[in-house]
Amino acid sequence: MTTVNDMTKKGLRIFLPSALLALGLGLAGCASKPVMDETGVDKSISPARAAQEPTLRGQLAQWGGVLISTRNLKDKTQLEILTYPLNDRGQPDRNAQPLGRVLALKDGYVEALDFPTGTLVTAVGAVAAPESGKIGDADYNYPVIQVKELHRWPAPAERQEPRVRFGIGVGIGL
């Protein structure tokens, strides 16, 4: 004869593994990286090294930071970025010391309204020859990356926090 206690134990044996699997998958989704192809990227190439070492030209690098300006040229878009070290997800760490400014050149047209000043971005691309420019009245030697992939990080107000709820029994949503 089956007792209520036996049915409760059987129900827990089925429910508990399923709940743990769902929790694990949910937590794994929270730690995901942006969808960027990092194959062949040398993460040791800093903007300063790229500007100083001509042998790095053509190698893949990953840089990110705060977008200073977006300028559409004839057949490409030039993004000026104040770079920061990247965290393990590839996101710029604004709490760290800035690494300097870079020019990121992306083939085609990038809508400036989709990439406003102050946006956090990460770019993967080939190191190109540095370009001379000015910041105000000061001369500046910009490291350059020819963008293969560009990721725009959502602003804190745009982030949607996952709405996960766990419970047993009847719930009433208000």
Side-chain angles (χ1 to χ4, degrees):
M1 178 169 176
T2 305
T3 65
V4 172
N5 194 21
D6 291 335
M7 290 190 310
T8 303
K9 287 180 185 177
K10 184 177 180 182
L12 281 176
R13 281 191 300 238
I14 294 170
F15 172 76
L16 192 56
S18 300
L20 290 174
L21 178 64
L23 178 62
L25 290 173
L27 290 175
C30 294
S32 65
K33 293 179 79 167
V35 183
M36 294 186 83
D37 182 8
E38 296 177 358
T39 306
V41 171
D42 183 346
K43 294 187 179 185
S44 72
I45 300 174
S46 68
R49 274 189 64 206
Q52 298 297 319
E53 298 178 31
T55 58
L56 296 176
R57 293 185 191 144
Q59 292 189 36
L60 290 179
Q62 182 180 32
W63 300 335
V66 178
L67 187 61
I68 296 171
S69 68
T70 303
R71 211 171 116 206
N72 287 299
L73 307 173
K74 182 178 178 184
D75 57 354
K76 61 188 165 201
T77 302
Q78 175 185 289
L79 304 146
E80 184 177 351
I81 302 167
L82 176 60
T83 59
Y84 287 90
L86 303 178
N87 66 20
D88 59 341
R89 295 180 58 226
Q91 185 174 15
D93 179 4
R94 293 205 53 197
N95 294 321
Q97 194 69 14
L99 302 174
R101 294 184 184 201
V102 302
L103 296 179
L105 303 175
K106 174 119 174 84
D107 288 337
Y109 176 81
V110 173
E111 177 54 62
L113 289 176
D114 291 336
F115 288 84
T117 299
T119 299
L120 285 181
V121 295
T122 300
V124 169
V127 173
E131 291 186 16
S132 297
K134 287 194 175 279
I135 298 175
D137 290 334
D139 293 328
Y140 194 80
N141 193 35
Y142 285 94
V144 177
I145 187 170
Q146 181 63 47
V147 176
K148 180 176 120 179
E149 292 195 53
L150 182 65
H151 180 76
R152 176 185 171 271
W153 295 92
E158 294 175 346
R159 290 190 195 122
Q160 294 262 337
E161 295 298 323
R163 301 184 87 187
V164 179
R165 297 179 185 166
F166 292 98
I168 298 174
V170 177
I172 300 173
L174 297 175

